[in-house]
Amino acid sequence: MAKVKALSVALGLAACVSLPAAAAAEWTAKPGTAYTAPSEGSRPTDGQSLPDGHVAVAPKGEIAKAWYIQPTKRYRHAILGDDIEAGGLKIELRNGKTVELSLPQNRVFEDRTPRLVDLDGDGESEIITLLSSSSGGAAVAVYGLKAGKIALLDQTPFIGLSNRWRNFAGVADYNGDGALEIAEVVTPHIGGTLRFWSWKDNKLQPAGAAKFFSNHALGAYEQRLSATADFNGDGRPDLAVPGRSRDVLHLMGFIGDARELKPIASIVLRSSIAGAIVANTKGGNTTLTVQVRDGSIWDISQ
């Protein structure tokens, strides 16, 4: 029990005094033999995109593709390894037409690839982005197509200081309330707060938070240091996300009828996670594969 209480304090959780019974089986890390990072998709070919950007693809709906455009050095943060950010967003519609959005001079997309997700279940994708302000730092911003134009639907507050960033972590109905949540880590290089935002009535509403996480290494290209799967068998998606030093992988979920955000398990690794976290589920069992900083590969399972 003392170890569990210590873990609760370390994660900034107010009321974690025991782990759920479903998490009783121990999660362990064993040396792996194969690691292949998930594909990030194709590169844009329009000649105006980010040098390290990719095209997001939606399986259905009016919006077929989305990518960042208008490379700019007007926001010199270099959080993703260079000082080139995006000054605009471009979408391709199912009929082949394209629509562009240009940001004002005090804004950039501090991101590599937008995410196309049908957040409200109406069959049309919204566009999830990481938007940064020259004075306020980053926000999660959700765009949609309205009257043939790309429109901002809602965003989180900016962090409040320039050169403060946040990283996307996942999207799913994590708390089982029927609405999708966007998971993110705010300031992953400075303490790191894991936050969940529910998409309800076309608004982002706070749904849970815990401290001391990091899903990005300062200056790294790779943003995908998190994965979503059901880790405790309760039928709800959970989130795998590293602690602030990235050498401990925490499995976080909204537990029980009260849907409290709690740790399901924490797995200590020999070095900090460096590559995209890969989740594979077969027969109801999930294995996580990670590559750490020393180049070794680890398979994590029960």
Side-chain angles (χ1 to χ4, degrees):
M1 183 66 74
K3 292 182 179 180
V4 174
K5 288 183 178 179
L7 176 62
S8 302
V9 173
L11 295 179
L13 299 167
C16 291
V17 295
S18 62
L19 295 180
E26 183 179 0
W27 286 79
T28 58
K30 298 179 180 179
T33 57
Y35 171 82
T36 302
S39 172
E40 294 189 84
S42 64
R43 299 276 194 179
T45 58
D46 60 357
Q48 57 175 330
S49 62
L50 288 178
D52 57 357
H54 294 265
V55 178
V57 178
K60 61 180 181 179
E62 190 173 5
I63 299 174
K65 300 177 181 179
W67 62 96
Y68 292 123
I69 57 172
Q70 301 173 17
T72 178
K73 293 187 176 182
R74 66 184 184 235
Y75 187 72
R76 293 181 178 271
H77 193 197
I79 203 73
L80 294 171
D82 61 38
D83 58 359
I84 302 173
E85 311 302 345
L89 174 65
K90 187 172 184 176
I91 62 174
E92 181 179 307
L93 305 182
R94 200 68 59 183
N95 61 13
K97 293 182 179 180
T98 59
V99 183
E100 296 183 12
L101 169 74
S102 295
L103 294 174
Q105 288 297 304
N106 65 344
R107 301 279 193 275
V108 296
F109 292 112
E110 201 172 5
D111 199 7
R112 293 194 300 108
T113 307
R115 300 136 199 95
L116 289 175
V117 181
D118 181 4
L119 290 174
D120 55 10
D122 67 352
E124 298 293 339
S125 292
E126 282 70 44
I127 311 160
I128 305 172
T129 69
L130 300 177
L131 175 69
S132 287
S133 157
S134 59
S135 60
V140 173
V142 178
Y143 292 83
L145 188 64
K146 283 192 171 185
K149 297 182 179 181
I150 301 173
L152 178 64
L153 303 180
D154 198 23
Q155 68 172 74
T156 66
F158 289 113
I159 293 171
L161 291 172
S162 182
N163 292 349
R164 294 293 185 270
W165 188 64
R166 60 216 299 160
N167 191 23
F168 177 84
V171 58
D173 183 8
Y174 292 106
N175 62 13
D177 68 351
L180 292 184
E181 283 79 45
I182 297 172
E184 56 150 351
V185 178
V186 184
T187 61
H189 318 112
I190 312 172
T193 300
L194 174 64
R195 291 193 181 277
F196 293 83
W197 301 86
S198 284
W199 185 254
K200 295 179 179 178
D201 300 321
N202 283 335
K203 295 292 181 182
L204 291 166
Q205 301 180 16
K211 294 181 178 179
F212 309 130
F213 292 86
S214 176
N215 64 341
H216 182 258
L218 186 64
Y221 172 91
E222 183 61 72
Q223 292 179 251
R224 300 170 297 167
L225 273 62
S226 56
T228 296
D230 181 4
F231 298 121
N232 60 357
D234 66 356
R236 291 198 288 264
D238 307 303
L239 185 70
V241 60
R244 57 182 168 181
S245 60
R246 297 185 305 283
D247 57 0
V248 178
L249 184 62
H250 300 292
L251 309 184
M252 302 295 295
F254 287 82
I255 305 302
D257 294 337
R259 294 172 180 160
E260 294 181 70
L261 180 60
K262 294 184 179 183
I264 297 166
S266 296
I267 304 95
V268 178
L269 301 165
R270 62 185 282 175
S271 183
S272 58
I273 297 172
I277 298 174
V278 181
N280 292 301
T281 301
K282 293 182 179 179
N285 298 314
T286 297
T287 298
L288 293 162
T289 302
V290 301
Q291 186 176 47
V292 300
R293 188 174 55 185
D294 66 6
S296 61
I297 299 164
W298 296 86
D299 291 333
I300 300 168
S301 62
Q302 285 181 303

